[in-house]
Structure formats: C-alpha cells, structure tokens
Amino acid sequence: MGILENKARARLFYKYLSRVYDRINPFVWTEEMRTDALTLLDFSDDPTVLDVGCGTGFATEGLLEHVEEVYAIDQSEHQLEQAYAKFGKRGPVHFHRGDAERLPFATDAFDVVWSSGSIEYWPDPVRTLREFRRVLKPGGQVLVVGPNTPDDPIARRLADAMMLFYDEYEADRMFKTAGFEEVRHAFMGPSYSPEVAITTVARAPE
C-alpha cells in the first residue's frame, strides 16, 4: 500500500496541495481529458449525478455542462473550501464532506457516479466500488478516472510506493469483483503523456 493510501495522510497532503491545486491540475488532468471522459456517459433523461472525491470542483464544472445539479463529496475540508469559492455552498452543487467508503446517501439514489483523481487514495478500492454500486440505481453508470501504471519498472516501483497505480486488467478485476457489468476502459492524457490516465466505465446490474 502506498504512502497516500491512508486517509489521514491524504487529508494532510491536500491541506497544502489545495492552495495550488487549480494551478497544477491542468498539466495532468486537462479540460480535453475531462471532455473526452464525459462523452463516455449517457446524460439523457436528466440523470441524478454524484461526484466522489470532487476536490476543488474541476470535474463538477464539467458535469454541470450536462445536468442542472450535482451532488459532490470529498474528505478534504481544504479542497472543499476551494470548491465553495467557485460554486457557493448553496446552488447547483450539493456539497458533502465525507468518506467514499461510507457514502451518506440512500441505496439506489443516483443514475451516475463519477470519480476522477480519487481512486489512487482509496485503501480498499473494491470496497469503495461496492459502495458506489450501492448508491447507484439498477442499470446506473459509474465512471472512474485513475492513474495508469507506468511501463518503466523503476517508475512503477516509485509510483506504487506513493499510491495506487493500475492497468486495465486490474481495473477490470476490481470493477467486476465489485459487481459491475459492461466494464470498459479508455486511456487518456495530456499531449506529453497520452496514456497517463485510465478511465473505466461500467454499469450496475439491472
């Protein structure tokens, strides 16, 4: 388990990173990547949407281009403060502070669960994905963006020492173990590293 696959350490990390997050993030998780990921989802019929690990609201902003309101949750109060400054505490985004492993929402509450830049910090990804399935309506969609495992063995060891990195085979295993169906993957990234991220889309059983 990597250093940041610990909730307390991750919160401390984001206490400081939140101050510069929106200046650094566009070099790793770009608007073009966000747009490409959004095209993988079906937003017809005005779905109810949850953004898990919303951070400062970068993905939330993209989701609001497709739906009128978004529910958003993050464990970092410092990241949420940045999001409040963008969207306000009352408005199209319904913010919650909480844990992805124990979502404070009813079973079968959402049509879409989105999570980008969060899975790498989860101590138990399958447990968290099962929680996503719980809050999804039957047939609902899940989309998770995470870091693709590096090809270089040295880079891979360094990456794994920090947090979770995984390939499409491990993603397939995690999502299917969590009970999802129709699992598919897409690689994304900025121009200098076009496969740095792996995006997985799947559905909850009907």
Side-chain angles (χ1 to χ4, degrees):
M1 181 176 289
I3 293 170
L4 293 178
E5 289 174 82
N6 173 284
K7 295 172 189 178
R9 290 194 199 110
R11 283 194 297 270
L12 180 62
F13 177 67
Y14 274 102
K15 177 180 179 180
Y16 298 101
L17 184 62
S18 63
R19 301 172 186 175
V20 295
Y21 184 85
D22 284 336
R23 295 198 293 273
I24 295 172
N25 189 52
F27 295 101
V28 180
W29 174 223
T30 67
E31 289 188 11
E32 291 79 10
M33 292 166 66
R34 182 183 68 186
T35 298
D36 289 345
L38 286 163
T39 64
L40 300 175
L41 293 172
D42 177 10
F43 288 103
S44 60
D45 301 323
D46 192 25
T48 53
V49 177
L50 173 63
D51 182 3
V52 178
C54 64
T56 65
F58 178 73
T60 314
E61 189 175 22
L63 290 164
L64 286 172
E65 295 174 2
H66 297 269
V67 294
E68 293 186 0
E69 63 178 6
V70 174
Y71 289 80
I73 185 169
D74 200 281
Q75 71 159 347
S76 168
E77 61 181 309
H78 301 93
Q79 290 285 80
L80 286 173
E81 286 294 336
Q82 301 293 326
Y84 298 154
K86 295 178 185 177
F87 302 101
K89 290 189 177 182
R90 292 178 176 81
V93 186
H94 306 282
F95 287 108
H96 298 261
R97 185 181 173 203
D99 191 332
E101 288 185 348
R102 294 183 294 275
L103 296 171
F105 304 107
T107 298
D108 299 345
F110 297 98
D111 298 293
V112 173
V113 174
W114 166 291
S115 184
S116 52
S118 180
I119 187 174
E120 55 264 39
Y121 303 106
W122 302 345
D124 188 341
V126 171
R127 175 179 174 179
T128 303
L129 289 170
R130 285 181 175 138
E131 182 68 350
F132 285 15
R133 185 165 62 86
R134 180 187 69 79
V135 301
L136 271 172
K137 296 176 184 177
Q141 305 169 92
V142 61
L143 182 147
V144 174
V145 184
N148 187 21
T149 191
D151 290 329
D152 180 75
I154 296 174
R156 190 181 308 131
R157 285 196 292 272
L158 290 171
D160 290 340
M162 290 298 296
M163 59 183 69
L164 175 69
F165 283 71
Y166 57 95
D167 59 20
E168 70 269 37
Y169 304 106
E170 177 62 8
D172 208 60
R173 183 197 68 79
M174 291 189 294
F175 277 76
K176 288 180 178 177
T177 301
F180 286 102
E181 301 175 343
E182 299 178 33
V183 182
R184 53 197 174 98
H185 317 285
F187 293 102
M188 297 176 179
S191 58
Y192 64 85
S193 186
E195 294 190 352
V196 70
I198 179 168
T199 300
T200 301
V201 183
R203 285 191 181 272
E206 292 282 359

